[in-house]
């Protein structure tokens, strides 16, 4: 298995994802260690290193401080000279907002989740049918005793149907005080 040769003018150019991985590995840190140092999850670090998603501005700043690099050095922002040289190439990991859905689910998907198909289908049908203004303002709630799986249903729903939505926001509302932002 050979390696693909990089053209001379692109040899020093690395994607943001590979720069992040390089900086992490150079320090001998695991993805979990980086996640802990900047206050995110190992899953996010993995996604950033695989170019699946991009860190938002907050985490870009945290990564810059952690690695002692500028946003330009990490590939989050192109220098003005780079933009002039290759106008056809968009900035690395900077898709248009419509291409990068807002994802704020603080839990990993449970690989052992089973059952509850009726509840998940019902929620999806109710939330996606009749996309009129009135339907969009109708709230749905999963209620019940503690420990019966309400959170797991919500997490599974978010992961299973994430392509159907532009945004997923997780709000903790265990009391009236907590839910008020």
């Amino acid at each position: 298995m050979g390696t693909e040769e990089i053209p001379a003018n692109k040899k020093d150019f690395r994607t943001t994802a590979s720069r992040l991985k390089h900086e992490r590995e150079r320090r001998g840190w695991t993805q979990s260690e980086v996640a802990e140092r900047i206050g995110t999850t190992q899953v996010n670090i993995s996604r950033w290193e695989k170019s699946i998603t991009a860190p938002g501005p907050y985490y870009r700043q945290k990564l810059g401080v952690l690695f002692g690099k500028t946003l330009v050095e990490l590939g989050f922002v192109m220098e003005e000279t780079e933009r002039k040289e290759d106008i056809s190439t968009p900035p690395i990991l900077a898709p248009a907002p419509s291409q990068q859905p807002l994802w704020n689910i603080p839990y990993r998907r449970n690989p052992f989740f089973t059952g509850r198909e009726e509840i998940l289908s019902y929620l999806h049908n109710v939330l996606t049918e009749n996309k009129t203004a009135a339907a969009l303002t109708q709230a749905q709630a999963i209620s019940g005793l503690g420990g019966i799986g309400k959170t797991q249903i919500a997490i599974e729903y978010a992961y299973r149907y994430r392509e159907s939505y532009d945004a997923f926001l997780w709000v903790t509302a265990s009391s009236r005080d907590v839910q008020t932002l």
Side-chain angles (χ1 to χ4, degrees), residues 9 23 25 27 41 44 48 51 53 70-71 78 82 90 96 100 103 107 116-117 120 123 128 131 134 138 151-152 156:
N9 62 346
E23 291 299 327
E25 290 176 341
R27 289 162 177 78
T41 65
N44 279 340
W48 297 342
S51 294
T53 61
T70 67
L71 298 182
M78 291 178 71
E82 292 175 8
Q100 185 179 10
W103 180 256
Y107 300 100
R116 311 292 175 91
E117 296 301 322
L120 292 166
L123 279 173
T128 57
K131 295 212 176 203
Q138 299 299 313
T151 300
Q152 289 299 314
E156 181 62 22

Side-chain angles (χ1 to χ4, degrees), residues 3-14 86:
T3 59
E4 186 176 326
E5 188 172 322
I6 301 170
N9 62 346
K10 300 281 184 179
K11 278 192 178 184
D12 294 329
F13 184 77
R14 290 188 197 142
D86 190 2

Side-chain angles (χ1 to χ4, degrees), residues 107-131:
Y107 300 100
R108 295 181 183 160
R109 190 174 194 173
N110 180 354
F112 304 109
F113 183 91
T114 57
R116 311 292 175 91
E117 296 301 322
E118 289 180 22
I119 295 170
L120 292 166
S121 295
Y122 171 79
L123 279 173
H124 185 63
N125 290 336
V126 168
L127 294 171
T128 57
E129 288 179 0
N130 301 325
K131 295 212 176 203

